[in-house]
């Protein structure tokens, strides 16, 4: 009898312990930068193919060839091997100290049908690639993860993103972690090609894109040459900030590392861009930039304050639904906030700087948790934003748990359009802010 009791107690204790172990997530160590040798076998073969939206019904195809004589031609069509259309684009290259880039091609194709698979080939030869255009209507799904890098964790994050049915990937800054080592831009391009050649990758710059050596090189030289975004198409004069529209969503990509004060070009452009948004056509308004404004992690605490003081009133007046940021290597989601506190007519801020770069996680949080912070966790992972219709969106965050994607946070977000926040009573106030 006594033995039985003892066994029962031991079993209960064992179960209790294993239950705690299972709920207490053990955070993974950073992984090293992958060893991806950069030696293109055939110099005229397209390398590092990635695509991005380029104005209504158009897509920009970007790729690199070692061979400088390869033309910037993309042939494409809706069945494999049958290229009924072709377009010619432009090419650029750059030198960085002793490094010479390959020929970087950017070719805009279109007009393209919505929600359609196209097969394409770059430079007149080489392998065939396949892309899918975005739908014209809801639902539309975005995959989101910043601070990607090129480690084993990056690979895991990319594998998980590949498993989800997304239309567009949004990257709020810090892509390759090349950090002045230019060949790492090439290996990053190769690493992401399987995903980035199939769905548009829309990116904005982080601090790791800024590779300035005073007197020798400009900041953002490599980033701008390789990751050309539709800034011209959206009336911006800089690749560091731009906007685009897809299926009822207006997305604004801002730059945390270029001027943002009231006298800056970025500020004037933002104001003009916001005033053009038609919420009947695009009920959802989403903004991305690198350095978060609402962050309760010790890492990069208050770094976004200056930009927030300058630009938050504009975003608030315009009724931005959602703000996505990176930089802090962790995940955090807030209530609707404005001016440092919760506000039902402000934006939901989400930090997803957890793509998996070699610097590892930002583990230390401020205590107590601020009233506006709803969920925070230092783990690698990615987010998925499914805009279901004009009023409802479903956000989920998927932690890289033992190489498995585990949905760890999820929430329905209702649009400000459906909330009454943008109704007539605020109209005069918003108009005065936008024009002042
Ligand atoms: C939008 O989607 C939500 C969630 O599926 C649903 O409850 C709601 O009725 C939909 N609204 C419209 C206008 O279709
Ligand atoms: Fe960063």
């Amino acid at each position: 009898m006594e033995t039985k009791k003892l066994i029962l107690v031991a079993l209960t204790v064992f179960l209790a312990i294993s239950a705690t172990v299972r709920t207490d997530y053990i955070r993974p160590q950073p992984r090293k930068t992958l060893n991806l040798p950069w030696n293109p076998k055939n110099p005229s073969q397209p390398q590092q193919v990635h695509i991005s939206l380029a104005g209504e019904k158009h897509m920009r195809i970007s790729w690199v060839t070692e061979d400088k004589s390869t033309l910037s031609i993309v042939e494409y069509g809706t069945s494999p091997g049958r290229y009924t259309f072709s377009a010619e684009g432009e090419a650029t290259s750059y030198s960085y100290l002793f490094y010479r880039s390959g020929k970087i091609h950017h070719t805009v194709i279109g007009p393209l049908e919505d929600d359609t698979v196209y097969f394409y080939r770059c430079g007149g030869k080489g392998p065939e690639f396949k892309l899918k255009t975005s739908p014209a209507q809801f639902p539309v799904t975005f995959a989101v993860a910043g601070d990607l890098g090129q480690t084993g964790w990056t690979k895991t994050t990319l594998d998980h993103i590949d498993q989800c049915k997304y239309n567009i990937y949004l990257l709020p800054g810090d892509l390759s972690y090349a950090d002045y080592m230019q060949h790492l831009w090439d290996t990053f391009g190769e690493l992401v090609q399987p995903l980035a050649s199939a769905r548009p990758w829309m990116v904005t710059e982080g601090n790791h894109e800024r590779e300035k050596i005073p007197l020798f090189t400009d900041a953002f030289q490599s980033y701008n040459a390789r990751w050309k975004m539709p800034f011209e198409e959206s009336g911006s004069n800089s690749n560091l900030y731009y906007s685009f529209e897809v299926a009822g969503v207006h997305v604004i990509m801002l730059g945390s590392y270029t001027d943002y004060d009231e006298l800056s070009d970025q500020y004037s452009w933002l104001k003009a861009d916001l005033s053009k948004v038609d919420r009947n056509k695009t009920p959802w308004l989403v903004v991305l930039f690198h350095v978060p404004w609402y962050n309760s992690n010790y890492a990069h605490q208050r770094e976004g304050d200056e930009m927030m003081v300058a630009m938050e009133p504009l975003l608030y007046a315009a009724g931005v639904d959602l703000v996505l940021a990176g930089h802090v290597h962790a995940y955090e989601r807030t209530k609707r906030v404005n001016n440092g506190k919760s506000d039902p007519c402000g934006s939901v801020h989400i930090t997803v700087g957890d793509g998996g770069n070699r610097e590892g996680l930002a583990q230390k949080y401020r205590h107590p948790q601020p009233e506006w912070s709803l969920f925070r966790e230092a783990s690698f992972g990615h987010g998925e934003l499914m805009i279901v219709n004009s009023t409802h969106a479903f956000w989920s965050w998927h932690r890289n748990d033992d190489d498995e994607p585990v949905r760890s946070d999820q929430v329905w977000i209702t649009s400000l359009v459906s909330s009454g926040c943008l109704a007539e009573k605020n109209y005069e106030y918003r108009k005065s802010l936008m024009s002042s």
Side-chain angles (χ1 to χ4, degrees):
M1 199 60 195
E2 279 306 298
T3 332
K4 255 189 194 164
K5 219 175 182 177
L6 212 68
I7 290 172
L8 209 69
V9 169
L11 200 69
T12 317
V13 169
F14 171 75
L15 285 177
I17 288 171
S18 46
T20 10
V21 167
R22 216 172 302 135
T23 52
D24 188 19
Y25 179 63
I26 299 172
R27 289 173 181 82
Q29 292 299 307
R31 289 180 184 167
K32 285 204 179 70
T33 294
L34 293 171
N35 183 24
L36 304 159
W38 176 240
N39 53 349
K41 284 171 210 82
N42 185 338
S44 63
Q45 287 275 317
Q47 316 281 336
Q48 310 174 44
V49 180
H50 67 87
I51 66 173
S52 47
L53 301 174
E56 220 186 320
K57 294 192 181 298
H58 286 73
M59 201 83 89
R60 178 172 280 110
I61 316 287
S62 303
W63 80 98
V64 177
T65 53
E66 288 304 296
D67 185 350
K68 296 282 197 293
S69 67
T70 306
L71 296 176
S72 307
I73 286 177
V74 172
E75 299 155 284
Y76 61 104
T78 49
S79 30
R82 289 195 51 214
Y83 309 123
T84 37
F85 309 100
S86 88
E88 186 163 2
E90 52 176 21
T92 181
S93 63
Y94 70 91
S95 322
Y96 193 94
L97 303 181
F98 299 111
Y99 173 91
R100 303 275 171 277
S101 81
K103 189 172 181 182
I104 303 167
H105 308 261
H106 297 290
T107 303
V108 174
I109 62 170
L112 305 171
E113 299 291 324
D114 300 312
D115 210 8
T116 302
V117 172
Y118 282 88
F119 300 85
Y120 67 100
R121 191 168 72 165
C122 305
K125 50 181 160 250
E128 180 174 86
F129 296 92
K130 190 172 134 180
L131 66 81
K132 189 160 184 244
T133 58
S134 307
Q137 315 277 334
F138 301 121
V140 61
T141 301
F142 301 94
V144 197
D147 303 71
L148 212 46
Q150 38 193 317
T151 72
W153 285 117
T154 312
K155 186 79 181 61
T156 303
T157 303
L158 292 177
D159 289 346
H160 296 169
I161 290 175
D162 208 15
Q163 285 165 30
C164 97
K165 281 198 168 63
Y166 72 103
N167 300 109
I168 293 170
Y169 177 57
L170 302 175
L171 202 166
D174 281 1
L175 285 68
S176 71
Y177 284 72
D179 298 338
Y180 306 92
M181 310 282 285
Q182 293 305 303
H183 70 282
L184 289 179
W185 278 105
D186 294 309
T187 55
F188 178 77
E190 283 294 278
L191 176 68
V192 304
Q193 174 180 290
L195 277 79
S197 62
R199 294 290 182 282
W201 273 41
M202 306 308 288
V203 305
T204 186
E205 82 281 7
N207 50 308
H208 287 271
E209 275 64 68
R210 196 178 46 179
E211 303 173 297
K212 187 182 174 74
I213 303 177
L215 305 180
F216 287 104
T217 65
D218 292 340
F220 306 112
Q221 189 182 2
S222 335
Y223 171 74
N224 285 340
R226 292 166 185 273
W227 289 85
K228 182 170 182 183
M229 290 291 124
F231 68 95
E232 287 146 331
E233 292 85 342
S234 53
S236 154
N237 61 10
S238 165
N239 193 43
L240 303 179
Y241 47 89
Y242 64 94
S243 67
F244 61 92
E245 286 190 349
V246 57
V249 190
H250 187 92
V251 182
I252 300 180
M253 306 293 260
L254 294 179
S256 293
Y257 295 95
T258 182
D259 291 345
Y260 38 65
D261 59 276
E262 282 185 37
L263 301 174
S264 67
D265 284 354
Q266 181 174 211
Y267 187 93
S268 322
W269 172 82
L270 173 62
K271 226 163 99 167
D273 193 72
L274 286 172
S275 64
K276 278 183 261 173
V277 176
D278 173 0
R279 294 305 266 274
N280 293 315
K281 187 169 158 244
T282 55
W284 288 89
L285 185 50
V286 176
V287 173
L288 280 90
F289 46 80
H290 189 57
V291 183
W293 296 350
Y294 290 83
N295 162 34
S296 71
N297 195 295
Y298 271 107
H300 306 300
Q301 190 50 230
R302 311 207 75 97
E303 254 177 52
D305 281 9
E306 254 186 52
M307 187 186 182
M308 175 172 161
V309 166
M311 289 184 156
E312 194 182 37
L314 281 185
L315 301 194
Y316 186 69
V320 170
D321 287 292
L322 194 60
V323 174
L324 300 163
H327 203 37
V328 175
H329 303 161
Y331 170 72
E332 183 159 17
R333 175 170 61 82
T334 74
K335 296 177 184 166
R336 286 197 174 277
V337 285
N338 183 52
N339 197 22
K341 50 188 186 298
S342 50
D343 181 323
C345 294
S347 324
V348 171
H349 286 245
I350 299 178
T351 302
V352 267
D354 56 357
N357 65 75
R358 64 182 152 69
E359 292 174 351
L361 293 165
Q363 312 244 16
K364 275 178 70 190
Y365 284 100
R366 275 171 51 204
H367 291 285
Q369 187 167 5
E371 60 73 34
W372 44 258
S373 173
L374 280 174
F375 190 109
R376 52 186 192 174
E377 183 179 315
S379 300
F380 300 122
H382 77 276
E384 291 171 23
L385 174 65
M386 179 157 93
I387 312 265
V388 175
N389 56 32
S390 64
T391 58
H392 285 69
F394 185 71
W395 166 263
S396 57
W397 175 66
H398 305 253
R399 173 213 286 158
N400 294 352
D401 194 353
D402 294 328
D403 287 347
E404 294 286 315
V406 174
R407 192 197 284 174
S408 311
D409 180 33
Q410 62 186 70
V411 64
W412 279 99
I413 298 172
T414 49
S415 64
L416 284 178
V417 163
S418 66
S419 71
C421 286
L422 307 181
E424 205 62 32
K425 66 182 165 73
N426 287 327
Y427 182 72
E428 286 307 319
Y429 163 71
R430 289 193 291 121
K431 214 170 66 177
S432 67
L433 240 182
M434 300 296 290
S435 58
S436 64

